[in-house]
Amino acid sequence: MGGVTQTAETTPETGQLTLRDVVAVLERMHPLDTAQSWDRVGLVAGDLDQPVSRIHLAVDPTLAVIEEARAAGADLIITHHPLLLRGIHSVATTTAKGVAVTELLVNDIALYCAHTNADVADPGVGQALADACGLTRTEALEITEGQELGRVGDLPAPTTLAEFARRLHENLPRTAGGIRVAGPADGAVRRVAVLGGAGDSSFDAVRAADADVYVTADLRHHPALEAREEASLTGGTPYLIDAGHFASESLWLPGLASRLMAELAGAAARLEVHVSQVRTDPWEFVLGASGPEQDPLSGPHTNDAGDLA
């Protein structure tokens, strides 16, 4: 990810870019009607006629991201995750969402969210994760509400699960939790399925795609354990990689920055597009993690009652 700013200065004849101009481009790249029925995407705050010269991109519209954008002089924040996915009844500053809305309005910062409509876009979140995995030719993992979701494809050459996980880790932003892997370190990997964000509802599609490994995030204990149990009866695959929700979806942001510059820079006297440096992964540190050559149970650990064993 990183804090890369893309800047363009054009001729004096170029007009002032407005939020309306940016929204039109965003909705051409990520049509609102391609979002899942439960989702809340589009413009959250802002006046369509307000000028835009600096755009800030992030995964989540957290208070830290909003403050970073305010300090940088941004006119517009574009995030992947919605601020108001579920209904709320107050935007008083007694809650974090109330503070977020207030900070946006007081500082004249617009907010736009592209969520599942960015997941299904091409290029979009899924293809960015596929690229990070080294996949060059992909197809849809599944069709959900008429839209292609996730990607699946083959690596240029087979590799081991451990080596594949190492390469993927190098291409992801660093987080405290890193990535979690289920499967033997020497397991053979050629066909890869990916789904950015939470993906433990798509195991049937992964099996149908005959994937050797499934890269996603937010894998819960029971679905992941059951998937590995089922795999043990059918050759051992798919192996699982939990790449982290934030990390797996943040890969989309640099490409979005480049596409926005290509679409908008010619219409603006000055335009900056900045990718946030705030890592909105919620975890701060991890204890007791092990690598592929280590036994996670070789050191002191606690039993079910919480006593040192």
Side-chain angles (χ1 to χ4, degrees):
M1 195 173 64
V4 177
T5 300
Q6 298 192 32
T7 304
E9 294 190 37
T10 54
T11 63
E13 291 80 13
T14 305
Q16 174 65 62
L17 195 69
T18 68
L19 180 58
R20 189 184 307 276
D21 300 322
V22 182
V23 167
V25 168
L26 286 167
E27 295 183 356
R28 186 165 64 249
M29 293 192 294
H30 313 110
L32 299 182
D33 61 2
T34 63
Q36 297 293 288
S37 58
W38 51 265
D39 205 3
R40 298 292 180 267
V41 298
L43 188 62
V44 178
D47 181 343
L48 287 172
D49 293 322
Q50 72 185 75
V52 172
S53 60
R54 184 178 177 101
I55 301 173
H56 208 70
L57 308 182
V59 175
D60 298 282
T62 63
L63 297 175
V65 166
I66 294 171
E67 172 55 27
E68 179 190 45
R70 185 206 62 77
D75 309 297
L76 168 63
I77 301 173
I78 301 171
T79 63
H80 184 48
H81 292 141
L83 175 64
L84 305 174
L85 180 59
R86 297 176 179 84
I88 61 173
H89 304 287
S90 170
V91 290
T93 56
T94 52
T95 68
K97 288 191 184 297
V99 173
V101 171
T102 299
E103 287 297 309
L104 291 168
L105 297 180
V106 167
N107 291 289
D108 292 325
I109 302 174
L111 175 64
Y112 188 96
C113 301
H115 191 209
T116 54
N117 53 332
D119 289 333
V120 305
D122 184 16
V125 174
Q127 192 57 53
L129 181 56
D131 292 344
C133 290
L135 305 179
T136 54
R137 298 178 61 183
T138 66
E139 59 189 15
L141 174 62
E142 59 183 326
I143 306 296
T144 303
E145 296 188 13
Q147 301 298 325
E148 294 187 351
L149 188 64
R151 308 303 297 170
V152 62
D154 294 329
L155 295 171
T159 187
T160 65
L161 179 60
E163 182 58 27
F164 173 78
R166 286 191 184 98
R167 293 176 191 171
L168 175 60
H169 183 252
E170 291 173 357
N171 290 331
L172 292 171
R174 296 296 179 263
T175 60
I179 65 176
R180 300 184 296 171
V181 183
D186 61 353
V189 171
R190 179 65 181 264
R191 190 158 177 81
V192 181
V194 305
L195 180 60
D200 62 16
S201 64
S202 298
F203 285 127
D204 287 344
V206 173
R207 285 187 282 264
D210 199 26
D212 299 312
V213 62
Y214 179 34
V215 180
T216 187
D218 291 357
L219 290 177
R220 295 168 295 168
H221 175 85
H222 293 295
L225 184 60
E226 290 171 5
R228 293 300 299 141
E229 289 281 276
E230 292 295 330
S232 71
L233 303 177
T234 57
T237 59
Y239 309 129
L240 306 177
I241 294 182
D242 189 322
H245 201 124
F246 162 80
S248 66
E249 294 184 326
S250 66
L251 299 169
W252 167 65
L253 298 177
L256 176 61
S258 296
R259 290 190 292 276
L260 287 172
M261 289 298 298
E263 291 279 351
L264 295 168
R270 178 175 177 82
L271 177 65
E272 296 182 7
V273 182
H274 181 76
V275 176
S276 173
Q277 297 184 65
V278 176
R279 277 163 169 68
T280 53
D281 185 273
W283 306 109
E284 303 290 348
F285 60 89
V286 170
L287 300 178
S290 63
E293 295 83 16
Q294 297 172 295
D295 178 359
L297 303 181
S298 61
H301 60 282
T302 59
N303 60 26
D304 290 340
D307 298 322
L308 190 64

